[in-house]
Amino acid sequence: MMDIVVVGGIFREILDGDTYPQPRMGGSGLVAAIVASRFGARTVLASYVGEEDAPAVLVMLAAAGVETNMVTCLPGASGTFVFPSGGEHPWPMYRPAEAVPTVAPDIGEARVYLVFGMPDFDPVAAGWLVSVPADATLIWDRQGWISRARDSRAVLSSAAGRKIYLANLEEAFEEFSEGSEESLWERLPPDGYEAAVFKRGVDSCVLIDRGIGGERVSYIEAFPVDADN
């Protein structure tokens, strides 16, 4: 059994304003799988990648010890995001063949499933989660500005016994129509979820847990990252 299955994207990333842009490979699925594996978890990535980028991506994953049997190659280049130099949200340019795989892979059993922005109206992507066991933990990252996922109800059909909601504050404010952190905490975690985690960038994460003894709110400090290693 795997420790973690990551379901998420693999993308090219280009910095806006670069006069000779060289794409780097990124995407939430790719990065999360590599990080999880480097922390010692047996990790597999369920995703798809353009055939032009597949050799480089497979080398990256193999070097980190990530299983790649669920990575599907499609014609063309991978989805591409341009990152504005002013720090605004990146904007999408292209997906591989403007398509998704025609068959959902059997992702098998794992203790934890980390899913980024599952499109609630995409039967193939939703099919990746059909076999999630009831004793597993499902962590769903809303990624509302990048995906077609509409709200937190879309993932409740999964059989996973423990569900955790993950979002940044902007995404959470949008979904629950709240304008302050204090009012947001009163509505969380969403119904059907055991806990909620909110990313606040360098200002830490907030964990709201419905564990034994009632609801708890905890602050988890950010840690420094060496981008050169």
Side-chain angles (χ1 to χ4, degrees):
M1 177 186 291
M2 303 299 293
D3 294 320
I4 300 177
V5 171
V6 178
V7 181
I10 300 172
F11 293 96
R12 290 182 171 198
E13 298 177 346
I14 297 176
L15 180 64
D16 186 24
D18 191 343
T19 56
Y20 186 62
Q22 296 295 308
R24 63 184 183 184
M25 298 311 300
S28 298
L30 178 67
V31 173
I34 290 174
V35 171
S37 185
R38 287 181 173 172
F39 271 109
R42 293 190 62 226
T43 306
V44 62
L45 174 61
S47 188
Y48 54 95
V49 62
E51 61 185 7
E52 294 179 16
D53 304 309
V57 166
L58 294 177
V59 167
M60 291 174 64
L61 293 172
V66 178
E67 301 258 351
T68 60
N69 59 300
M70 298 179 203
V71 176
T72 301
C73 296
L74 296 177
S78 302
T80 301
F81 278 87
V82 173
F83 285 76
S85 55
E88 300 87 354
H89 284 321
W91 49 278
M93 292 180 60
Y94 181 69
R95 291 181 181 272
E98 295 296 329
V100 295
T102 57
V103 178
D106 180 4
I107 61 176
E109 293 189 0
R111 294 179 176 85
V112 176
Y113 295 82
L114 173 58
V115 181
F116 289 94
M118 182 182 73
D120 47 1
F121 294 112
D122 186 334
V124 174
W128 288 358
L129 299 180
V130 169
S131 58
V132 172
D135 59 350
T137 295
L138 174 61
I139 303 172
W140 179 61
D141 189 324
R142 185 174 184 269
Q143 288 201 323
W145 62 271
I146 194 174
S147 74
R148 288 173 287 171
R150 301 309 197 272
D151 56 46
S152 58
R153 294 171 295 180
V155 79
L156 293 180
S157 59
S158 164
R162 188 167 190 258
K163 300 180 179 70
I164 298 172
Y165 177 95
L166 179 63
N168 63 39
L169 285 174
E170 180 181 338
E171 294 162 353
F173 286 153
E174 177 184 1
E175 178 168 350
F176 297 101
S177 300
E178 297 291 351
S180 70
E181 292 189 34
E182 292 75 13
S183 59
L184 189 61
W185 302 160
E186 295 177 359
R187 301 185 58 184
L188 299 168
D191 290 339
Y193 288 78
E194 183 173 326
V197 178
F198 294 92
K199 299 173 287 185
R200 305 166 78 227
V202 297
D203 295 325
S204 76
C205 293
V206 178
L207 168 64
I208 303 177
D209 190 357
R210 280 182 179 159
I212 299 174
E215 190 166 281
R216 299 176 300 174
V217 178
S218 305
Y219 290 84
I220 304 170
E221 294 300 322
F223 55 88
V225 175
D226 185 353
D228 296 327
N229 293 321

Coordinates of all heavy atoms in Angstrom, one line a residue, residues 94-160:
Y94 N -2.4 26.9 -22.2 CA -2.5 25.7 -23.0 C -2.6 24.5 -22.1 O -1.9 24.4 -21.1 CB -1.4 25.6 -23.9 CG -1.4 24.5 -24.9 CD1 -2.3 24.4 -25.9 CD2 -0.4 23.4 -24.7 CE1 -2.3 23.3 -26.8 CE2 -0.4 22.4 -25.6 CZ -1.3 22.3 -26.6 OH -1.3 21.2 -27.4
R95 N -3.4 23.5 -22.5 CA -3.3 22.2 -21.9 C -3.0 21.2 -22.9 O -3.2 21.4 -24.1 CB -4.7 21.8 -21.2 CG -5.1 22.7 -20.0 CD -6.4 22.3 -19.5 NE -6.8 23.1 -18.3 CZ -6.4 22.8 -17.1 NH1 -5.7 21.7 -16.8 NH2 -6.8 23.6 -16.1
P96 N -2.4 20.0 -22.5 CA -2.0 19.0 -23.5 C -3.2 18.6 -24.4 O -4.1 18.0 -24.0 CB -1.5 17.8 -22.7 CG -1.6 18.2 -21.3 CD -2.2 19.6 -21.2
A97 N -3.1 19.0 -25.7 CA -4.1 18.6 -26.7 C -5.5 19.1 -26.3 O -6.5 18.6 -26.9 CB -4.1 17.1 -26.9
E98 N -5.5 20.1 -25.4 CA -6.8 20.6 -24.9 C -7.7 19.4 -24.5 O -8.9 19.4 -24.8 CB -7.5 21.5 -25.9 CG -6.7 22.7 -26.2 CD -6.6 23.7 -25.0 OE1 -7.5 23.7 -24.2 OE2 -5.6 24.4 -24.9
A99 N -7.1 18.4 -23.8 CA -7.8 17.2 -23.6 C -7.5 16.6 -22.2 O -6.5 17.1 -21.6 CB -7.5 16.2 -24.7
V100 N -8.2 15.6 -21.8 CA -7.9 14.8 -20.6 C -7.9 13.4 -21.0 O -8.4 13.0 -22.1 CB -8.9 15.0 -19.5 CG1 -8.9 16.5 -19.0 CG2 -10.3 14.7 -19.9
P101 N -7.3 12.5 -20.2 CA -7.3 11.1 -20.6 C -8.7 10.5 -20.8 O -9.6 11.0 -20.1 CB -6.6 10.4 -19.4 CG -5.8 11.5 -18.8 CD -6.5 12.7 -19.0
T102 N -8.9 9.6 -21.7 CA -10.2 9.0 -21.9 C -10.6 8.0 -20.9 O -11.7 7.6 -20.8 CB -10.3 8.4 -23.3 OG1 -9.3 7.4 -23.5 CG2 -10.1 9.5 -24.4
V103 N -9.6 7.4 -20.2 CA -9.8 6.4 -19.2 C -9.2 6.8 -17.9 O -8.0 7.2 -17.8 CB -9.2 5.0 -19.6 CG1 -9.5 4.0 -18.6 CG2 -9.8 4.6 -21.0
A104 N -10.0 6.7 -16.8 CA -9.4 7.0 -15.5 C -8.5 5.9 -15.0 O -8.9 4.7 -15.0 CB -10.6 7.3 -14.5
P105 N -7.4 6.2 -14.5 CA -6.5 5.1 -14.0 C -7.0 4.6 -12.6 O -7.7 5.3 -11.9 CB -5.1 5.9 -13.7 CG -5.5 7.3 -13.5 CD -6.8 7.5 -14.3
D106 N -6.7 3.3 -12.4 CA -7.0 2.7 -11.1 C -5.9 3.1 -10.1 O -4.8 2.7 -10.2 CB -7.0 1.2 -11.2 CG -7.4 0.5 -9.9 OD1 -7.6 1.2 -8.9 OD2 -7.3 -0.7 -9.8
I107 N -6.2 4.0 -9.2 CA -5.1 4.6 -8.3 C -4.8 3.7 -7.2 O -3.8 4.0 -6.5 CB -5.5 6.0 -7.8 CG1 -6.8 5.9 -7.0 CG2 -5.7 7.0 -9.0 CD1 -7.2 7.3 -6.4
G108 N -5.6 2.7 -6.9 CA -5.2 1.7 -5.9 C -5.4 2.3 -4.5 O -5.9 3.4 -4.3
E109 N -4.9 1.5 -3.5 CA -5.1 1.9 -2.1 C -3.9 2.7 -1.5 O -2.7 2.5 -1.9 CB -5.3 0.6 -1.2 CG -6.6 -0.1 -1.5 CD -6.8 -1.2 -0.5 OE1 -6.0 -1.4 0.4 OE2 -7.8 -1.9 -0.6
A110 N -4.2 3.6 -0.7 CA -3.2 4.4 0.0 C -3.8 4.9 1.3 O -5.0 4.9 1.5 CB -2.8 5.6 -0.8
R111 N -2.9 5.4 2.2 CA -3.4 5.9 3.5 C -4.0 7.3 3.3 O -4.9 7.7 4.0 CB -2.3 5.9 4.5 CG -1.8 4.5 4.9 CD -0.7 4.5 5.9 NE -0.3 3.2 6.3 CZ 0.6 2.4 5.7 NH1 1.1 2.9 4.5 NH2 0.9 1.2 6.1
V112 N -3.4 8.1 2.4 CA -3.8 9.5 2.2 C -3.9 9.8 0.8 O -3.0 9.4 0.0 CB -2.7 10.5 2.9 CG1 -3.1 11.9 2.6 CG2 -2.6 10.2 4.4
Y113 N -4.9 10.5 0.4 CA -5.1 11.0 -1.0 C -5.1 12.5 -0.9 O -5.9 13.1 -0.2 CB -6.4 10.5 -1.6 CG -6.5 9.0 -1.7 CD1 -6.8 8.2 -0.6 CD2 -6.2 8.4 -2.9 CE1 -6.8 6.8 -0.7 CE2 -6.2 7.0 -3.0 CZ -6.5 6.2 -1.9 OH -6.5 4.8 -2.0
L114 N -4.2 13.1 -1.7 CA -4.1 14.6 -1.8 C -4.6 15.0 -3.1 O -3.9 14.7 -4.1 CB -2.7 15.0 -1.5 CG -2.4 16.5 -1.7 CD1 -3.2 17.4 -0.8 CD2 -0.9 16.8 -1.4
V115 N -5.7 15.7 -3.2 CA -6.3 16.0 -4.5 C -6.4 17.5 -4.7 O -6.9 18.2 -3.8 CB -7.8 15.4 -4.5 CG1 -8.4 15.7 -5.9 CG2 -7.7 13.9 -4.3
F116 N -5.9 18.0 -5.8 CA -5.8 19.4 -6.1 C -7.0 19.8 -7.1 O -7.0 19.3 -8.2 CB -4.5 19.8 -6.7 CG -3.4 19.8 -5.7 CD1 -2.6 18.6 -5.6 CD2 -3.1 20.9 -4.9 CE1 -1.5 18.6 -4.6 CE2 -2.1 20.8 -3.9 CZ -1.3 19.7 -3.8
G117 N -8.0 20.5 -6.6 CA -9.0 21.1 -7.4 C -9.7 20.1 -8.3 O -9.8 20.3 -9.5
M118 N -10.2 19.0 -7.7 CA -10.9 18.0 -8.5 C -12.0 18.6 -9.3 O -13.0 19.2 -8.7 CB -11.4 16.9 -7.6 CG -12.1 15.8 -8.4 SD -12.8 14.5 -7.3 CE -14.2 15.4 -6.6
P119 N -12.0 18.6 -10.6 CA -13.2 19.2 -11.3 C -14.4 18.3 -11.1 O -14.5 17.2 -11.4 CB -12.8 19.0 -12.8 CG -11.3 18.9 -12.8 CD -11.0 18.1 -11.5
D120 N -15.4 19.0 -10.5 CA -16.6 18.2 -10.1 C -17.5 17.8 -11.2 O -18.3 16.9 -11.1 CB -17.5 19.0 -9.1 CG -17.7 20.5 -9.5 OD1 -17.2 20.8 -10.6 OD2 -18.4 21.2 -8.8
F121 N -17.3 18.3 -12.4 CA -18.1 17.9 -13.6 C -17.3 17.2 -14.6 O -17.7 17.0 -15.7 CB -18.8 19.1 -14.2 CG -19.8 19.8 -13.3 CD1 -19.6 21.0 -12.8 CD2 -21.0 19.1 -13.0 CE1 -20.5 21.6 -11.9 CE2 -21.9 19.7 -12.1 CZ -21.7 20.9 -11.6
D122 N -16.1 16.7 -14.2 CA -15.2 16.0 -15.1 C -15.3 14.5 -14.7 O -14.7 14.1 -13.7 CB -13.8 16.5 -15.0 CG -12.9 15.9 -16.0 OD1 -13.1 14.7 -16.5 OD2 -11.9 16.5 -16.4
P123 N -16.0 13.7 -15.5 CA -16.1 12.3 -15.0 C -14.8 11.5 -15.0 O -14.7 10.5 -14.2 CB -17.1 11.7 -16.1 CG -16.9 12.6 -17.3 CD -16.7 13.9 -16.7
V124 N -13.9 11.9 -15.8 CA -12.6 11.2 -15.8 C -11.8 11.5 -14.5 O -11.4 10.6 -13.7 CB -11.7 11.5 -17.0 CG1 -10.4 10.9 -16.9 CG2 -12.4 11.0 -18.2
A125 N -11.7 12.8 -14.2 CA -11.0 13.2 -12.9 C -11.8 12.6 -11.7 O -11.1 12.1 -10.8 CB -10.9 14.7 -12.9
A126 N -13.1 12.7 -11.7 CA -13.8 12.2 -10.6 C -13.6 10.7 -10.5 O -13.6 10.1 -9.4 CB -15.3 12.5 -10.7
G127 N -13.5 10.0 -11.6 CA -13.3 8.6 -11.6 C -12.0 8.1 -10.9 O -11.9 7.0 -10.5
W128 N -11.0 9.0 -10.8 CA -9.8 8.7 -10.2 C -10.0 8.4 -8.7 O -9.2 7.7 -8.0 CB -8.8 9.8 -10.3 CG -8.2 10.0 -11.7 CD1 -8.5 9.2 -12.7 CD2 -7.3 11.0 -12.1 NE1 -7.8 9.7 -13.8 CE2 -7.1 10.8 -13.5 CE3 -6.7 12.1 -11.5 CZ2 -6.3 11.6 -14.2 CZ3 -5.9 12.9 -12.2 CH2 -5.7 12.7 -13.6
L129 N -11.1 8.9 -8.1 CA -11.4 8.7 -6.7 C -12.4 7.7 -6.4 O -12.8 7.5 -5.2 CB -11.8 10.1 -6.1 CG -10.8 11.2 -6.3 CD1 -11.4 12.5 -5.7 CD2 -9.5 10.8 -5.6
V130 N -12.9 6.9 -7.4 CA -13.9 5.9 -7.1 C -13.5 4.9 -6.2 O -14.2 4.4 -5.3 CB -14.4 5.3 -8.5 CG1 -15.2 4.1 -8.2 CG2 -15.1 6.3 -9.3
S131 N -12.2 4.5 -6.3 CA -11.7 3.4 -5.5 C -11.1 3.8 -4.1 O -10.4 3.0 -3.5 CB -10.7 2.6 -6.3 OG -9.6 3.4 -6.7
V132 N -11.3 5.0 -3.7 CA -10.7 5.5 -2.4 C -11.4 4.6 -1.3 O -12.6 4.6 -1.2 CB -11.0 7.0 -2.2 CG1 -10.6 7.4 -0.8 CG2 -10.2 7.8 -3.2
P133 N -10.5 4.0 -0.4 CA -11.1 3.2 0.6 C -11.7 4.0 1.8 O -11.3 5.1 2.0 CB -9.9 2.3 1.1 CG -8.7 3.1 0.7 CD -9.1 3.9 -0.5
A134 N -12.6 3.4 2.5 CA -13.3 4.1 3.5 C -12.4 4.5 4.7 O -12.8 5.4 5.5 CB -14.5 3.3 4.0
D135 N -11.3 3.8 4.9 CA -10.4 4.1 6.0 C -9.3 5.0 5.7 O -8.4 5.2 6.4 CB -9.9 2.8 6.6 CG -9.0 2.0 5.6 OD1 -9.1 2.3 4.4 OD2 -8.4 1.0 6.0
A136 N -9.4 5.7 4.5 CA -8.4 6.6 4.1 C -8.7 8.0 4.5 O -9.8 8.4 4.8 CB -8.2 6.5 2.5
T137 N -7.7 8.9 4.4 CA -7.8 10.3 4.6 C -7.7 11.0 3.3 O -6.8 10.8 2.5 CB -6.7 10.9 5.5 OG1 -6.9 10.3 6.9 CG2 -6.8 12.4 5.7
L138 N -8.7 11.9 3.0 CA -8.7 12.6 1.7 C -8.5 14.1 2.0 O -9.3 14.7 2.8 CB -10.0 12.4 1.0 CG -10.2 13.3 -0.3 CD1 -9.2 12.9 -1.3 CD2 -11.6 13.0 -0.8
I139 N -7.4 14.7 1.5 CA -7.1 16.1 1.7 C -7.4 16.8 0.3 O -6.8 16.5 -0.7 CB -5.7 16.4 2.1 CG1 -5.3 15.6 3.4 CG2 -5.4 17.9 2.2 CD1 -3.8 15.7 3.7
W140 N -8.4 17.7 0.3 CA -8.8 18.3 -0.9 C -8.4 19.8 -0.9 O -8.9 20.6 0.0 CB -10.4 18.2 -1.1 CG -10.8 18.9 -2.3 CD1 -10.5 18.6 -3.6 CD2 -11.7 20.0 -2.4 NE1 -11.2 19.4 -4.5 CE2 -11.9 20.3 -3.8 CE3 -12.4 20.7 -1.5 CZ2 -12.7 21.3 -4.2 CZ3 -13.3 21.7 -1.9 CH2 -13.4 22.0 -3.3
D141 N -7.6 20.2 -1.9 CA -7.2 21.5 -2.0 C -8.1 22.2 -3.1 O -8.0 21.8 -4.2 CB -5.7 21.6 -2.4 CG -5.1 23.0 -2.4 OD1 -5.9 24.0 -2.7 OD2 -3.9 23.2 -2.1
R142 N -8.8 23.2 -2.6 CA -9.9 23.7 -3.5 C -9.3 24.3 -4.8 O -9.8 24.2 -5.9 CB -10.7 24.8 -2.7 CG -11.8 25.4 -3.5 CD -12.7 26.3 -2.7 NE -13.8 26.8 -3.4 CZ -13.9 27.9 -4.1 NH1 -12.8 28.6 -4.2 NH2 -15.0 28.2 -4.8
Q143 N -8.2 25.1 -4.7 CA -7.6 25.8 -5.8 C -8.7 26.4 -6.7 O -8.8 26.2 -7.9 CB -6.8 24.8 -6.6 CG -5.5 24.4 -6.0 CD -4.5 23.9 -6.9 OE1 -4.8 23.2 -7.8 NE2 -3.2 24.2 -6.7
G144 N -9.6 27.2 -6.1 CA -10.7 27.7 -6.8 C -10.4 28.6 -8.0 O -11.2 28.7 -9.0
W145 N -9.3 29.3 -8.0 CA -8.9 30.2 -9.1 C -8.3 29.5 -10.3 O -8.2 30.1 -11.4 CB -8.0 31.3 -8.6 CG -6.6 30.8 -8.1 CD1 -6.3 30.4 -6.9 CD2 -5.5 30.6 -8.9 NE1 -5.0 30.0 -6.8 CE2 -4.5 30.1 -8.1 CE3 -5.2 30.8 -10.3 CZ2 -3.2 29.7 -8.5 CZ3 -3.9 30.4 -10.7 CH2 -2.9 29.9 -9.8
I146 N -8.0 28.2 -10.1 CA -7.3 27.5 -11.2 C -8.1 26.4 -11.8 O -8.0 26.0 -12.9 CB -5.9 27.0 -10.7 CG1 -5.1 26.6 -11.9 CG2 -6.1 25.9 -9.8 CD1 -3.7 26.2 -11.5
S147 N -9.0 25.8 -11.0 CA -9.7 24.6 -11.4 C -11.2 24.9 -11.7 O -11.7 26.0 -11.4 CB -9.6 23.6 -10.3 OG -10.5 23.9 -9.2
R148 N -11.9 23.9 -12.1 CA -13.3 24.0 -12.3 C -14.1 23.5 -11.1 O -15.4 23.4 -11.2 CB -13.7 23.1 -13.5 CG -13.3 23.7 -14.9 CD -13.5 22.8 -16.0 NE -12.6 21.6 -15.9 CZ -12.7 20.6 -16.7 NH1 -13.7 20.4 -17.5 NH2 -11.8 19.6 -16.6
A149 N -13.5 23.1 -10.0 CA -14.2 22.7 -8.8 C -15.0 23.9 -8.3 O -14.5 25.0 -8.1 CB -13.2 22.2 -7.8
R150 N -16.3 23.6 -8.0 CA -17.2 24.7 -7.6 C -17.2 25.0 -6.1 O -17.1 26.1 -5.7 CB -18.6 24.4 -8.1 CG -18.7 24.1 -9.6 CD -18.1 25.3 -10.4 NE -18.5 25.3 -11.8 CZ -17.9 24.6 -12.8 NH1 -16.9 23.9 -12.5 NH2 -18.4 24.7 -14.0
D151 N -17.3 24.0 -5.3 CA -17.3 24.2 -3.9 C -17.0 22.9 -3.1 O -16.7 21.9 -3.8 CB -18.7 24.7 -3.4 CG -19.8 23.8 -3.9 OD1 -19.7 22.6 -3.7 OD2 -20.8 24.3 -4.4
S152 N -17.0 22.9 -1.8 CA -16.5 21.8 -1.0 C -17.4 20.6 -1.1 O -17.1 19.5 -0.7 CB -16.3 22.3 0.4 OG -17.6 22.8 1.0
R153 N -18.7 20.8 -1.6 CA -19.6 19.6 -1.6 C -19.2 18.6 -2.7 O -19.6 17.5 -2.6 CB -21.0 20.2 -1.9 CG -21.6 21.0 -0.8 CD -22.9 21.7 -1.2 NE -22.6 22.6 -2.3 CZ -23.6 23.4 -2.8 NH1 -24.8 23.3 -2.4 NH2 -23.3 24.2 -3.8
A154 N -18.4 19.0 -3.7 CA -18.1 18.1 -4.8 C -17.4 16.9 -4.3 O -17.5 15.8 -5.0 CB -17.3 18.9 -5.8
V155 N -16.6 17.0 -3.3 CA -15.7 15.8 -2.9 C -16.4 14.9 -1.9 O -15.9 13.9 -1.6 CB -14.4 16.4 -2.3 CG1 -14.6 16.8 -0.9 CG2 -13.3 15.4 -2.4
L156 N -17.6 15.3 -1.4 CA -18.3 14.5 -0.4 C -18.7 13.1 -0.9 O -18.9 12.2 0.0 CB -19.5 15.2 0.2 CG -19.1 16.5 1.0 CD1 -20.4 17.2 1.5 CD2 -18.2 16.2 2.1
S157 N -18.8 12.9 -2.2 CA -19.2 11.6 -2.7 C -18.1 10.5 -2.5 O -18.3 9.3 -2.6 CB -19.6 11.6 -4.1 OG -18.5 12.1 -4.9
S158 N -16.9 11.0 -2.2 CA -15.8 10.0 -2.0 C -16.0 9.2 -0.7 O -16.6 9.7 0.2 CB -14.5 10.8 -1.8 OG -13.5 10.0 -1.2
A159 N -15.6 8.0 -0.7 CA -15.8 7.1 0.4 C -14.9 7.3 1.6 O -15.1 6.7 2.6 CB -15.7 5.6 -0.1
A160 N -13.9 8.2 1.4 CA -12.9 8.4 2.4 C -13.5 8.7 3.7 O -14.4 9.6 3.8 CB -11.9 9.5 2.0

